[in-house]
PDB file of all heavy atoms in Angstrom:
ATOM      1  N   LYS I1039     -56.047 -61.952  97.953  1.00  0.00           N
ATOM      2  CA  LYS I1039     -56.134 -61.666  96.531  1.00  0.00           C
ATOM      3  C   LYS I1039     -54.731 -61.569  95.904  1.00  0.00           C
ATOM      4  O   LYS I1039     -53.756 -61.296  96.584  1.00  0.00           O
ATOM      5  CB  LYS I1039     -56.918 -60.375  96.293  1.00  0.00           C
ATOM      6  CG  LYS I1039     -58.338 -60.471  96.819  1.00  0.00           C
ATOM      7  CD  LYS I1039     -59.072 -61.675  96.221  1.00  0.00           C
ATOM      8  CE  LYS I1039     -60.508 -61.830  96.630  1.00  0.00           C
ATOM      9  NZ  LYS I1039     -60.758 -62.466  97.904  1.00  0.00           N
ATOM     10  N   PRO I1040     -54.652 -61.822  94.561  1.00  0.00           N
ATOM     11  CA  PRO I1040     -53.330 -61.858  93.919  1.00  0.00           C
ATOM     12  C   PRO I1040     -52.511 -60.610  94.176  1.00  0.00           C
ATOM     13  O   PRO I1040     -53.057 -59.501  94.261  1.00  0.00           O
ATOM     14  CB  PRO I1040     -53.685 -61.972  92.431  1.00  0.00           C
ATOM     15  CG  PRO I1040     -55.051 -62.536  92.401  1.00  0.00           C
ATOM     16  CD  PRO I1040     -55.745 -62.053  93.635  1.00  0.00           C
ATOM     17  N   SER I1041     -51.217 -60.792  94.303  1.00  0.00           N
ATOM     18  CA  SER I1041     -50.326 -59.684  94.630  1.00  0.00           C
ATOM     19  C   SER I1041     -50.269 -58.688  93.470  1.00  0.00           C
ATOM     20  O   SER I1041     -49.860 -59.016  92.374  1.00  0.00           O
ATOM     21  CB  SER I1041     -48.928 -60.230  94.909  1.00  0.00           C
ATOM     22  OG  SER I1041     -48.066 -59.168  95.175  1.00  0.00           O
ATOM     23  N   ALA I1042     -50.725 -57.476  93.709  1.00  0.00           N
ATOM     24  CA  ALA I1042     -50.698 -56.413  92.697  1.00  0.00           C
ATOM     25  C   ALA I1042     -50.755 -55.110  93.483  1.00  0.00           C
ATOM     26  O   ALA I1042     -51.048 -55.097  94.677  1.00  0.00           O
ATOM     27  CB  ALA I1042     -51.904 -56.530  91.765  1.00  0.00           C
ATOM     28  N   MET I1043     -50.451 -54.012  92.782  1.00  0.00           N
ATOM     29  CA  MET I1043     -50.425 -52.709  93.464  1.00  0.00           C
ATOM     30  C   MET I1043     -51.749 -52.433  94.177  1.00  0.00           C
ATOM     31  O   MET I1043     -51.775 -51.967  95.307  1.00  0.00           O
ATOM     32  CB  MET I1043     -50.146 -51.585  92.453  1.00  0.00           C
ATOM     33  CG  MET I1043     -48.672 -51.369  92.157  1.00  0.00           C
ATOM     34  SD  MET I1043     -47.675 -51.237  93.656  1.00  0.00           S
ATOM     35  CE  MET I1043     -48.246 -49.671  94.290  1.00  0.00           C
ATOM     36  N   LEU I1044     -52.868 -52.752  93.479  1.00  0.00           N
ATOM     37  CA  LEU I1044     -54.177 -52.444  94.065  1.00  0.00           C
ATOM     38  C   LEU I1044     -54.371 -53.216  95.379  1.00  0.00           C
ATOM     39  O   LEU I1044     -54.804 -52.665  96.383  1.00  0.00           O
ATOM     40  CB  LEU I1044     -55.295 -52.790  93.071  1.00  0.00           C
ATOM     41  CG  LEU I1044     -56.703 -52.550  93.614  1.00  0.00           C
ATOM     42  CD1 LEU I1044     -56.918 -51.074  93.903  1.00  0.00           C
ATOM     43  CD2 LEU I1044     -57.768 -53.058  92.630  1.00  0.00           C
ATOM     44  N   HIS I1045     -54.000 -54.497  95.352  1.00  0.00           N
ATOM     45  CA  HIS I1045     -54.190 -55.296  96.564  1.00  0.00           C
ATOM     46  C   HIS I1045     -53.304 -54.787  97.706  1.00  0.00           C
ATOM     47  O   HIS I1045     -53.729 -54.744  98.863  1.00  0.00           O
ATOM     48  CB  HIS I1045     -53.896 -56.764  96.282  1.00  0.00           C
ATOM     49  CG  HIS I1045     -54.012 -57.623  97.506  1.00  0.00           C
ATOM     50  ND1 HIS I1045     -55.170 -57.710  98.243  1.00  0.00           N
ATOM     51  CD2 HIS I1045     -53.112 -58.395  98.153  1.00  0.00           C
ATOM     52  CE1 HIS I1045     -54.985 -58.511  99.282  1.00  0.00           C
ATOM     53  NE2 HIS I1045     -53.736 -58.932  99.250  1.00  0.00           N
ATOM     54  N   LYS I1046     -52.077 -54.372  97.342  1.00  0.00           N
ATOM     55  CA  LYS I1046     -51.182 -53.841  98.392  1.00  0.00           C
ATOM     56  C   LYS I1046     -51.784 -52.589  99.008  1.00  0.00           C
ATOM     57  O   LYS I1046     -51.733 -52.383 100.227  1.00  0.00           O
ATOM     58  CB  LYS I1046     -49.818 -53.521  97.780  1.00  0.00           C
ATOM     59  CG  LYS I1046     -49.005 -54.781  97.495  1.00  0.00           C
ATOM     60  CD  LYS I1046     -47.638 -54.436  96.971  1.00  0.00           C
ATOM     61  CE  LYS I1046     -46.919 -55.733  96.576  1.00  0.00           C
ATOM     62  NZ  LYS I1046     -45.992 -55.584  95.507  1.00  0.00           N
ATOM     63  N   LEU I1047     -52.368 -51.744  98.150  1.00  0.00           N
ATOM     64  CA  LEU I1047     -52.982 -50.516  98.644  1.00  0.00           C
ATOM     65  C   LEU I1047     -54.184 -50.834  99.559  1.00  0.00           C
ATOM     66  O   LEU I1047     -54.325 -50.249 100.640  1.00  0.00           O
ATOM     67  CB  LEU I1047     -53.434 -49.664  97.440  1.00  0.00           C
ATOM     68  CG  LEU I1047     -54.118 -48.340  97.784  1.00  0.00           C
ATOM     69  CD1 LEU I1047     -53.131 -47.399  98.474  1.00  0.00           C
ATOM     70  CD2 LEU I1047     -54.684 -47.685  96.523  1.00  0.00           C
ATOM     71  N   VAL I1048     -54.997 -51.798  99.124  1.00  0.00           N
ATOM     72  CA  VAL I1048     -56.178 -52.154  99.927  1.00  0.00           C
ATOM     73  C   VAL I1048     -55.741 -52.728 101.277  1.00  0.00           C
ATOM     74  O   VAL I1048     -56.313 -52.395 102.330  1.00  0.00           O
ATOM     75  CB  VAL I1048     -57.055 -53.166  99.150  1.00  0.00           C
ATOM     76  CG1 VAL I1048     -58.137 -53.734 100.056  1.00  0.00           C
ATOM     77  CG2 VAL I1048     -57.674 -52.502  97.927  1.00  0.00           C
ATOM     78  N   ALA I1049     -54.706 -53.584 101.267  1.00  0.00           N
ATOM     79  CA  ALA I1049     -54.219 -54.162 102.525  1.00  0.00           C
ATOM     80  C   ALA I1049     -53.688 -53.062 103.447  1.00  0.00           C
ATOM     81  O   ALA I1049     -53.858 -53.107 104.673  1.00  0.00           O
ATOM     82  CB  ALA I1049     -53.146 -55.192 102.241  1.00  0.00           C
ATOM     83  N   GLU I1050     -53.059 -52.057 102.855  1.00  0.00           N
ATOM     84  CA  GLU I1050     -52.531 -50.948 103.651  1.00  0.00           C
ATOM     85  C   GLU I1050     -53.673 -50.158 104.286  1.00  0.00           C
ATOM     86  O   GLU I1050     -53.631 -49.800 105.471  1.00  0.00           O
ATOM     87  CB  GLU I1050     -51.705 -50.026 102.728  1.00  0.00           C
ATOM     88  CG  GLU I1050     -50.675 -49.177 103.426  1.00  0.00           C
ATOM     89  CD  GLU I1050     -49.636 -49.998 104.162  1.00  0.00           C
ATOM     90  OE1 GLU I1050     -48.981 -50.835 103.546  1.00  0.00           O
ATOM     91  OE2 GLU I1050     -49.504 -49.785 105.389  1.00  0.00           O
ATOM     92  N   ILE I1051     -54.726 -49.907 103.500  1.00  0.00           N
ATOM     93  CA  ILE I1051     -55.880 -49.171 104.033  1.00  0.00           C
ATOM     94  C   ILE I1051     -56.560 -49.987 105.128  1.00  0.00           C
ATOM     95  O   ILE I1051     -56.913 -49.463 106.190  1.00  0.00           O
ATOM     96  CB  ILE I1051     -56.874 -48.844 102.885  1.00  0.00           C
ATOM     97  CG1 ILE I1051     -56.231 -47.883 101.894  1.00  0.00           C
ATOM     98  CG2 ILE I1051     -58.163 -48.251 103.444  1.00  0.00           C
ATOM     99  CD1 ILE I1051     -57.021 -47.677 100.618  1.00  0.00           C
TER     100      ILE I1051
END
Side-chain angles (χ1 to χ4, degrees):
K1039 299 304 183 278
S1041 178
M1043 276 311 291
L1044 178 63
H1045 177 58
K1046 286 184 186 150
L1047 179 66
V1048 170
E1050 203 60 57
I1051 295 170

